[in-house]
Amino acid sequence: MSTDTAALDVTEWAAACRGRAGDLLAGLGHAPGLLRTDPRAAVRVLDENLAHEIPALLDGEEWTRLHTLLTACLGEYLISVHGAHWAWLEDSASPVGGRWVVTGFTRPTARRTAAVDVGALVGEALASEPSVGLTALADRAERAAGVHVVHG
């Protein structure tokens, strides 16, 4: 993927994730921008509505939809709380030549951080847990990024 194409695709990917998360929140009766204005409240709302899904019982299309929604919401949470952004990371082991990651964490400051493959993290959780909560996923992602902070 060329640098120009990657920049355009990142912009489109980020907008699509923001849109999916906003549509989901709006469908649940909340402000579409809640992940941006109050990310912790949004995670609680999403946990109440998504955590009780049972991925093992979902068919392929429903599993893909849940994976996509959780990936979008988790990415938006990390971006809002930690000043991060989506990026395309080339990976020759990937069937599509790369993967979407959240990187560039700026909060908290003065920490060494790592990019987080949000989609892989969500996929692993869906494959191994009877129910998936966004709070637990956010905790794992923050730890993987090196930005884990204690929430009060």
Side-chain angles (χ1 to χ4, degrees):
M1 181 179 297
S2 75
T3 304
D4 292 339
T5 304
L8 176 62
D9 288 345
V10 167
T11 301
E12 290 175 6
W13 175 262
C17 286
R18 214 171 15 261
R20 283 184 194 100
D23 290 348
L24 178 58
L25 285 163
L28 296 171
H30 295 274
L34 189 61
L35 265 165
R36 293 284 173 153
T37 60
D38 192 349
R40 288 179 181 87
V43 165
R44 285 190 299 274
V45 165
L46 294 168
D47 265 354
E48 290 170 7
N49 291 278
L50 293 177
H52 302 293
E53 297 272 359
I54 302 175
L57 300 178
L58 299 176
D59 70 19
E61 187 174 307
E62 290 170 331
W63 187 95
T64 300
R65 182 175 175 271
L66 180 59
H67 181 275
T68 300
L69 287 172
L70 287 170
T71 298
C73 292
L74 180 56
E76 287 304 301
Y77 170 83
L78 294 170
I79 289 165
S80 295
V81 172
H82 299 290
H85 60 270
W86 285 105
W88 176 257
L89 183 65
E90 291 186 13
D91 180 357
S92 61
S94 167
V96 294
R99 51 200 161 99
W100 292 107
V101 298
V102 175
T103 191
F105 295 88
T106 60
R107 294 184 293 270
T109 57
R111 291 208 182 196
R112 194 172 240 193
T113 64
V116 178
D117 186 340
V118 177
L121 193 144
V122 169
E124 290 166 9
L126 286 173
S128 65
E129 299 173 24
S131 64
V132 177
L134 201 52
T135 301
L137 287 170
D139 182 65
R140 287 181 202 160
E142 288 174 331
R143 288 178 190 278
V147 296
H148 181 73
V149 293
V150 177
H151 300 291

